[in-house]
């Protein structure tokens, strides 16, 4: 299954597309794109949890030049996220406001420095769109597994001259180099299953999986561990 070749797209920039660290305010930023199916459940949760974790570590949302957004391979263009997704974000103290669903377009993939998908099917769909996306597209859980194997000391200092953006680019290169060596223990290990239409407890379970997968990724990107409760 592939995303439609002609999508409704985005006529202009919205709060949803501006993300963590506006590309207008931070030239030369590093863009993270989260992808799921409808862009109303998994990818909005992942987008907003990523922004929340970055804010916790970096403080000023413009620090570092990291831009976080999301889209769906069959995105519900203009739709709000699911109410249960908003509840999950509230559980983690993350902001769900201003979200607008988007259909995945070529331009999103072209601009992304890192694409993190909910499932292997989504990963295959992104890669099939071309744009040399293969070396920068992973499932979220796949990227987490690879990041855990990377020695942080081999990455650029986030406080150095090149900053967090260069550190993030080096992290993606290192993860891509490891992909053929560190395989998932099972096919299901790299999947985040779709909670669409499910009751709130299942949404919360998915939100917990996403949060657990994001923690080492955000730590590796920023060089700042999560604060202990």
């Amino acid at each position: 299954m592939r995303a439609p070749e002609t999508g409704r797209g985005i006529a202009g920039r919205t709060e949803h597309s501006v993300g963590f660290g506006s590309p207008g305010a931070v030239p030369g930023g590093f863009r993270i794109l989260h992808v799921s199916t409808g862009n109303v459940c998994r990818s909005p949760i992942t987008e907003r949890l990523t922004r929340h974790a970055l804010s916790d570590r970096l403080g000023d949302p413009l620090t570092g030049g990291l831009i976080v957004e999301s889209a769906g391979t069959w995105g519900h263009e203009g739709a709000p996220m699911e109410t249960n997704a908003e509840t999950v974000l509230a559980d983690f103290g993350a902001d769900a406001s201003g979200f607008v669903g988007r259909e995945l377009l070529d331009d999103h993939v072209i601009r992304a420095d890192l694409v993190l998908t909910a499932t292997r099917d989504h990963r295959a769909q992104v890669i099939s769109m071309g744009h040399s996306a293969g070396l920068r597209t992973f499932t979220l859980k796949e990227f987490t597994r690879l990041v855990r194997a990377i020695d942080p000391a081999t990455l650029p200092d986030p406080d150095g001259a090149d900053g967090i953006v260069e550190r993030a680019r080096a992290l993606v290169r290192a993860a891509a180099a490891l992909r053929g060596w560190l395989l998932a223990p099972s096919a299901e290990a790299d999947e985040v299953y779709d909670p669409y239409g499910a009751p709130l407890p299942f949404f919360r379970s998915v939100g917990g999986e996403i949060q657990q997968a994001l923690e080492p990724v955000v730590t590796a990107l920023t060089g700042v561990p999560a604060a202990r409760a």
Side-chain angles (χ1 to χ4, degrees):
M1 181 178 69
R2 290 191 57 175
E5 292 184 0
T6 56
R8 290 175 293 280
I10 326 167
R13 183 176 294 166
T14 65
E15 180 179 348
H16 172 38
S17 65
V18 169
F20 177 94
S22 165
V26 189
F30 182 92
R31 190 179 298 267
I32 302 168
L33 175 66
H34 293 294
V35 175
S36 63
T37 303
N39 195 215
V40 291
C41 299
R42 289 167 291 181
S43 50
I45 291 172
T46 314
E47 173 198 311
R48 293 310 175 91
L49 287 180
T50 304
R51 292 190 195 181
H52 183 65
L54 288 170
S55 292
D56 280 350
R57 287 165 170 79
L58 301 177
D60 183 350
L62 296 182
T63 299
L66 299 177
I67 303 154
V68 185
E69 55 188 358
S70 64
T73 55
W74 294 90
H76 298 182
E77 187 75 30
M81 72 175 76
E82 288 287 294
T83 300
N84 282 346
E86 292 183 346
T87 301
V88 168
L89 290 173
D91 289 345
F92 288 102
D95 182 16
S97 66
F99 182 86
V100 180
R102 303 193 304 178
E103 186 175 290
L104 181 67
L105 300 176
D106 289 294
D107 187 51
H108 302 149
V109 177
I110 291 167
R111 293 187 300 163
D113 297 287
L114 172 63
V115 183
L116 296 175
T117 70
T119 69
R120 292 167 298 147
D121 281 348
H122 296 130
R123 181 184 64 194
Q125 290 175 65
V126 171
I127 293 172
S128 75
M129 295 171 73
H131 315 301
S132 303
L135 292 178
R136 50 194 168 89
T137 301
F138 310 79
T139 75
L140 171 61
K141 289 185 175 180
E142 173 192 22
F143 194 66
T144 300
R145 183 177 69 254
L146 298 172
V147 162
R148 287 184 186 276
I150 297 169
D151 182 354
T154 65
L155 299 173
D157 184 349
D159 295 323
D162 295 324
I164 290 175
V165 167
E166 187 52 41
R167 181 183 178 92
R169 290 175 180 154
L171 185 69
V172 173
R173 291 193 297 268
L178 284 174
R179 186 173 359 217
W181 297 93
L182 290 177
L183 303 179
S186 67
E188 292 73 24
D190 281 345
E191 304 284 288
V192 176
Y193 290 108
D194 193 355
Y196 185 74
L200 181 58
F202 187 68
F203 265 84
R204 283 184 162 139
S205 174
V206 168
E209 284 184 43
I210 291 170
Q211 174 75 359
Q212 185 176 20
L214 282 173
E215 282 298 325
V217 171
V218 176
T219 297
L221 283 168
T222 62
V224 181
R228 296 189 179 277

